[in-house]
Amino acid sequence: MINLILFGSFFVLLFLNVPICVSLGMSSIFAMLFSGDKLSVVPTNVYSSMAKFLLLAIPFFVLSGNIMAKAGISTRLVQFIDDCIGHRRGGIAIVCVVVACFFGAISGSGPATVAALGIILIPAMINRGGFSSAMMATASSIAIVIPPSIAFVVYASITGVSVGDMFMGGILPGIMMGLALVIIIMIEVRRKGLPPSREKATWGERWKSFRTAFWGFLMPVIILGGIYGGIFTPTEAAAVSVVYGLIVGLFIYREVKIKDLYDLLVDSGKTTGGIMLIIGAAALFSYICTVHGISKAAQTLLLTVAGNKYVFLIIINVIFLIAGCFVDANSAMYIFIPIMYPVAQQLGIDLVHFGVIATVNLAIGQVTPPVGVNLFVAIGVSDKLQNIKDKTRVTIETMSKAVWPMIIACIVALLLVTYIPFFSTVFLKGA
């Protein structure tokens, strides 16, 4: 009966469009009241789930991403990549994918990448309607797979896996998702017979745009190089990225002013607060599942049904793809990972590999209707652009139709990552 109360109330609240953190928290409290548990464990459990040194990396990465977006790095990245490949057929759409990968390596957040790049790239593809917005949303979802990724930090805080190993494990899968989207673009270009959108840039123009974009390219190199070289921890790397972003924004690009810092801190605080509320509520939900034996029963059921790791991997892909349709990545991590990762260990699956699989699934979930957060951010950006371009409004229905070929391409990449561990473990120490 406790299962019915917990999950039933959760899905009812979700259906009523209650925020995910409130849905998780309230359903947990309903279950506790029904079972007679003391509510005094709620603040203790929520606080302990958030009071982890590793999770300090989240506000720092959020702040550094906001600083670099304000510094105009997105515009410079777009200009350089456009100078390199924009002259090809479908070039601007390919630019969208490549720049999303690079900016994702700065922001670590899919919605932040859509917001920063969409205002630049969607107008350049505006004549494509829903396809342009869908491509922007899908390409931006790679941000939680390409390191540094907030989702990887959350996964590492749950399982105890090295954040550095998770970051290295996400490099090839993120590139593979990008290549899958490029293939979709090339198919679309050939089907529509679209011509190149610009002339080929000279090497001089490319060198000039590279020099201005260089400081943005250097940021992920500093973060990953510092972590993997043993110079600093992931949390320290996040703090270093903030300092680096301020130096670039204030003194090199000079687009960030002292007066902008207050707004940057407030925006970053709001984003971090939202993430932490979700983590706290999801951790409480997971606690209820553990205390009342739901997690153990689910683990036993998974082992019984799966039988071997190949069937288990199919099952978790299906579960995560469905979960991604309704909940965000951080919530899904806290709900499902504590149940699944012990089973993965028993079946001999590398935990870095397992974490990458889960994250790629949840990246796809960011563009899967009905609750694909990147889709709604892209729609918001498109709505703002209606004042610039007089085009038909992009709706969730239009986006949902346009995004399916991209989702299928990403699922193909997911299957390769799932069944060929090499893609996730090749860069690990001792792999």
Side-chain angles (χ1 to χ4, degrees):
M1 188 63 181
I2 191 74
N3 302 9
L4 180 62
I5 298 294
L6 182 65
F7 289 97
S9 59
F10 172 64
F11 284 111
V12 167
L13 290 169
L14 269 187
F15 180 76
L16 294 174
N17 205 29
V18 175
I20 183 69
C21 61
V22 178
S23 299
L24 288 166
M26 290 305 299
S27 59
S28 301
I29 290 172
F30 291 153
M32 293 176 73
L33 290 172
F34 178 80
S35 63
D37 293 341
K38 294 181 179 179
L39 293 182
S40 58
V41 304
V42 173
T44 304
N45 195 275
V46 170
Y47 174 77
S48 62
S49 69
M50 295 187 288
K52 296 178 180 179
F53 178 74
L54 182 59
L55 293 181
L56 279 174
I58 293 176
F60 284 123
F61 278 134
V62 170
L63 178 56
S64 67
N66 285 342
I67 291 171
M68 294 301 276
K70 180 69 175 178
I73 184 61
S74 54
T75 305
R76 291 169 170 84
L77 287 173
V78 169
Q79 184 60 57
F80 172 64
I81 303 300
D82 188 41
D83 284 346
C84 290
I85 58 177
H87 61 280
R88 298 180 179 276
R89 294 175 63 190
I92 193 62
I94 298 174
V95 168
C96 170
V97 174
V98 176
V99 175
C101 290
F102 278 112
F103 194 82
I106 294 171
S107 72
S109 165
T113 304
V114 179
L117 298 180
I119 201 74
I120 304 167
L121 287 167
I122 289 178
M125 301 185 289
I126 200 74
N127 62 321
R128 308 305 312 283
F131 180 86
S132 61
S133 299
M135 181 56 69
M136 186 72 259
T138 311
S140 297
S141 70
I142 302 173
I144 71 168
V145 181
I146 291 280
S149 160
I150 291 173
F152 283 156
V153 174
V154 172
Y155 176 84
S157 73
I158 297 170
T159 62
V161 175
S162 163
V163 176
D165 285 350
M166 289 305 305
F167 284 176
M168 298 307 288
I171 294 174
L172 268 186
I175 292 172
M176 290 168 64
M177 290 179 70
L179 289 174
L181 293 180
V182 170
I183 291 171
I184 291 297
I185 291 168
M186 299 311 297
I187 292 172
E188 179 76 2
V189 165
R190 290 184 179 278
R191 190 169 69 87
K192 298 287 187 180
L194 299 175
S197 58
R198 59 161 292 174
E199 296 293 324
K200 186 175 181 179
T202 65
W203 284 105
E205 291 172 328
R206 292 174 181 177
W207 172 244
K208 181 180 178 181
S209 59
F210 171 75
R211 283 188 301 165
T212 60
F214 171 76
W215 300 104
F217 288 126
L218 191 59
M219 187 173 185
V221 174
I222 292 173
I223 294 171
L224 295 178
I227 294 172
Y228 217 59
I231 300 172
F232 35 65
T233 67
T235 304
E236 291 166 347
V240 168
S241 72
V242 172
V243 175
Y244 177 79
L246 284 173
I247 292 171
V248 172
L250 288 169
F251 304 113
I252 298 177
Y253 291 156
R254 298 181 181 179
E255 294 198 23
V256 176
K257 310 299 181 186
I258 296 295
K259 65 180 180 180
D260 296 326
L261 296 183
Y262 175 79
D263 288 337
L264 286 170
L265 288 169
V266 170
D267 288 345
S268 301
K270 289 178 180 178
T271 303
T272 303
I275 294 172
M276 289 303 184
L277 278 174
I278 290 171
I279 287 175
L284 180 63
F285 191 94
S286 179
Y287 167 79
I288 301 300
C289 289
T290 302
V291 167
H292 292 281
I294 299 171
S295 297
K296 189 66 178 178
Q299 290 170 13
T300 303
L301 179 62
L302 271 175
L303 275 171
T304 304
V305 172
N308 63 71
K309 66 179 182 180
Y310 301 105
V311 177
F312 172 73
L313 290 172
I314 292 175
I315 293 171
I316 65 165
N317 277 333
V318 171
I319 290 173
F320 276 121
L321 285 173
I322 294 173
C325 295
F326 301 100
V327 297
D328 67 285
N330 295 325
S331 301
M333 287 281 187
Y334 268 90
I335 295 170
F336 295 106
I337 295 300
I339 296 172
M340 293 177 173
Y341 91 86
V343 180
Q345 280 184 307
Q346 290 184 55
L347 293 174
I349 298 170
D350 183 272
L351 285 186
V352 172
H353 179 216
F354 178 70
V356 171
I357 293 170
T359 306
V360 172
N361 271 289
L362 296 171
I364 296 171
Q366 291 191 327
V367 290
T368 308
V371 193
V373 61
N374 284 14
L375 296 181
F376 289 100
V377 176
I379 289 171
V381 172
S382 298
D383 284 347
K384 291 179 182 178
L385 295 172
Q386 298 311 309
N387 298 327
I388 303 171
K389 299 284 186 178
D390 184 20
K391 297 288 180 182
T392 305
R393 184 178 184 274
V394 176
T395 64
I396 187 61
E397 290 80 11
T398 308
M399 290 272 281
S400 297
K401 291 177 182 177
V403 81
W404 278 110
M406 304 162 204
I407 292 175
I408 292 170
C410 289
I411 288 175
V412 172
L414 167 65
L415 292 175
L416 290 173
V417 171
T418 299
Y419 288 106
I420 306 178
F422 169 85
F423 294 124
S424 304
T425 60
V426 62
F427 294 124
L428 301 185
K429 293 177 181 178

